[in-house]
Amino acid sequence: MTNIQIDKPCWDILWINVNIVTMASGETKTEREDSLDYGIVKNAAVAVLNGKIAWLGSLKDLAGVQYSVKQLIEGKNQWLTPGLIDCHTHIVYGGNRANEFEMRLQGKSYEEIANAGGGIISTVAATRNATEQELFESAKKRLTALHNEGVTSVEIKSGYGLDLVSETKMLRVAKQLADVLPVTVKKTFLGAHAIPTQYQNNSQGYIDDICNNMLPDIAAKGLVDAVDVFCENIGFTLKETEHVFEAAAKLNLPVKIHAEQLSNMKGAKLAAKYKALSADHLEYICEDGVKAMSEANMTAVLLPGAYYFLRESKLPPMGLLRKYKVPMAIATDSNPGSSPITSIQLMLNMACTLFKFTPLEALAGVTINAAKALGLDDSKGKLAVGYDADIACWDIEQPAELAYQFGVNPLTSLMKEGRIVI
Ligand code: DI6
Ligand code: FE
């Protein structure tokens, strides 16, 4: 018998004495969470090679593996999860809207302020006036805040420029952020966020501009990964939304939608027709919308920060989303008007306290399901061999702590594609 010599791998980094939450498979789930799992492995090890996870399992099983390693990390019994993913943000913008916050507390509604020329349009003016450098500096602070809480991937939308020059400026800033911070940035074109003053009372003219000029130009510059529309009574109609989706389809770009946030416009159902990655907000969605999302394999992105900040009272239909097994993500929706919040850890807590997520659902909402909402689910969102080594290390005793407490940041270390960055 010949002895087969198997080359033993030389890993870049090996974490040992860690507990891992793979979000892939394992034992701890309830009936309600039947398609989800923490996938816990206690007393575990994770090996990283060339930015990817090369091996993971229990220390006991590691004993039978032949390997060498360049750097060993003693995990001291801390917990590893996938790096967190904030799959819906608007962190690039000029100015802020603290004045409108004050107006709302004096009795004006969000819609009233928007209809009186405030709201999104006031941030558009501030964003157009800001230099690219100014936008970059303020957005960098926000992205750094998210990153310091364990975020390794983020989606950033345009939508406060509303003309070719300013939308391009916003998306260039989003791209630059990924060059300076160790965070994957997915760029979403949200030209259809509001009707700009140059097209007042001519929304069709603006939609035509988006479809025929802005989107093709910005896409040709490589600045778009997906296309989004704010489909709402204070935003765009179903028909206008469909025009934008058609233009995106022509460019082979996936679509997303802000739908059913303030009223039921049936936007999620339309998005299902276009096999959208996600429909986001969804407080007012009804059963046929949820069913359509399920059939189209879409992700529901729920945004507890906007619900909280606007003091909404209508909860998204969690029961229906669970019944139809629509994957649920959660995100900050970080923006100056409806969710001036840049804390993913607070979202984990609010998803549970406000939307009645279980802590497992909340964690899935910022890992595996958030990856799906961005089309990143074949490389990110779980700890598995071959997946990107985006790994957050937490000083906690059980994973539910990530959603349970808020205020003390339990992140002790963060790995981005195999590199320790915190
Ligand atoms: N939905 C929202 O909650 C934000 N945009 C959107 O489409 C609000 C943005 C803002 O008020 O600036
Ligand atoms: Fe949003």
Side-chain angles (χ1 to χ4, degrees):
M1 230 174 99
T2 45
N3 233 343
I4 299 168
Q5 182 68 44
I6 302 170
D7 277 346
K8 64 176 188 179
C10 178
W11 293 324
D12 293 328
I13 290 182
L14 178 66
W15 301 78
I16 55 164
N17 294 325
V18 285
N19 302 304
I20 57 180
V21 177
T22 64
M23 300 310 292
S25 64
E27 339 76 43
T28 50
K29 62 183 172 185
T30 66
E31 209 172 294
R32 192 161 127 192
E33 301 162 331
D34 61 359
S35 56
L36 284 182
D37 209 306
Y38 280 128
I40 291 173
V41 186
K42 288 200 171 167
N43 302 319
V46 180
V48 174
L49 179 63
N50 296 331
K52 308 267 183 207
I53 295 172
W55 189 93
L56 83 180
S58 71
L59 278 173
K60 251 192 268 137
D61 293 340
L62 183 67
V65 178
Q66 296 266 314
Y67 66 88
S68 60
V69 65
K70 293 179 189 150
Q71 186 187 349
L72 194 66
I73 303 179
E74 166 55 58
K76 299 179 191 153
N77 236 7
Q78 296 181 98
W79 288 73
L80 303 187
T81 67
L84 307 187
I85 301 172
D86 190 353
C87 66
H88 179 144
T89 86
H90 313 242
I91 55 171
V92 176
Y93 59 84
N96 71 56
R97 305 235 291 278
N99 57 332
E100 293 180 12
F101 178 58
E102 199 152 36
M103 281 164 77
R104 278 208 292 122
L105 288 162
Q106 288 160 351
K108 290 262 186 304
S109 75
Y110 182 71
E111 282 100 328
E112 279 170 338
I113 293 168
N115 289 333
I120 293 172
I121 289 300
S122 64
T123 297
V124 171
T127 304
R128 287 179 179 175
N129 285 335
T131 64
E132 197 158 321
Q133 188 62 27
E134 286 165 347
L135 291 179
F136 174 80
E137 292 302 335
S138 60
K140 188 175 159 209
K141 282 187 200 156
R142 296 179 195 112
L143 187 54
T144 301
L146 291 170
H147 184 60
N148 287 340
E149 289 194 350
V151 169
T152 47
S153 299
V154 72
E155 185 244 26
I156 301 179
K157 299 176 194 291
S158 69
Y160 291 117
L162 309 187
D163 61 30
L164 178 59
V165 169
S166 311
E167 288 287 301
T168 307
K169 178 170 74 172
M170 288 184 73
L171 290 167
R172 265 204 313 260
V173 169
K175 187 161 182 250
Q176 283 161 22
L177 289 167
D179 295 339
V180 298
L181 290 174
V183 178
T184 297
V185 174
K186 282 287 199 178
K187 303 176 290 301
T188 298
F189 174 69
L190 179 58
H193 193 195
I195 298 160
T197 41
Q198 76 268 27
Y199 282 104
Q200 215 167 22
N201 303 320
N202 179 16
S203 58
Q204 190 53 49
Y206 183 50
I207 291 291
D208 289 344
D209 192 7
I210 287 177
C211 297
N212 303 331
N213 305 317
M214 293 165 69
L215 178 56
D217 187 292
I218 293 174
K221 292 189 179 106
L223 290 172
V224 192
D225 300 306
V227 176
D228 194 349
V229 176
F230 186 32
C231 179
E232 192 52 72
N233 51 29
I234 57 163
F236 293 89
T237 64
L238 268 188
K239 197 162 148 252
E240 290 162 345
T241 303
E242 187 151 25
H243 281 163
V244 178
F245 285 178
E246 285 291 337
K250 271 196 209 131
L251 296 165
N252 280 325
L253 288 168
V255 296
K256 303 172 82 72
I257 188 167
H258 281 70
E260 280 61 281
Q261 178 186 6
L262 309 167
S263 63
N264 186 5
M265 306 259 298
K266 308 252 176 192
K269 202 168 175 185
L270 173 71
K273 194 172 129 192
Y274 287 84
K275 300 268 176 273
L277 286 170
S278 69
D280 304 31
H281 285 289
L282 301 180
E283 280 82 347
Y284 285 81
I285 195 171
C286 58
E287 187 156 2
D288 62 336
V290 175
K291 199 159 165 261
M293 285 183 68
S294 170
E295 284 162 5
N297 194 24
M298 286 167 65
T299 299
V301 179
L302 305 182
L303 303 164
Y307 172 91
Y308 153 83
F309 191 74
L310 296 181
R311 291 170 164 271
E312 292 292 341
S313 54
K314 189 156 168 52
L315 285 168
M318 302 295 298
L320 285 176
L321 292 165
R322 289 187 184 115
K323 176 175 160 193
Y324 287 97
K325 300 194 186 317
V326 177
M328 297 182 294
I330 54 173
T332 60
D333 195 15
S334 182
N335 77 72
S338 65
S339 187
I341 297 172
T342 45
S343 169
I344 198 79
Q345 289 175 12
L346 180 57
M347 293 307 103
L348 283 164
N349 181 265
M350 282 187 176
C352 296
T353 53
L354 299 178
F355 288 176
K356 304 187 174 128
F357 275 56
T358 64
L360 167 55
E361 286 173 327
L363 189 58
V366 295
T367 54
I368 187 164
N369 291 344
K372 193 163 169 345
L374 297 181
L376 288 172
D377 46 326
D378 55 358
S379 59
K380 297 187 187 291
K382 60 182 176 182
L383 302 183
V385 171
Y387 273 60
D388 290 348
D390 290 357
I391 302 173
C393 181
W394 308 96
D395 181 14
I396 54 175
E397 283 166 21
Q398 54 181 314
E401 265 178 67
L402 295 174
Y404 156 74
Q405 61 162 358
F406 172 74
V408 174
N409 183 355
L411 185 83
T412 56
S413 177
L414 190 62
M415 173 176 274
K416 176 64 185 165
E417 289 167 7
R419 217 158 46 84
I420 294 284
V421 292
I422 289 182

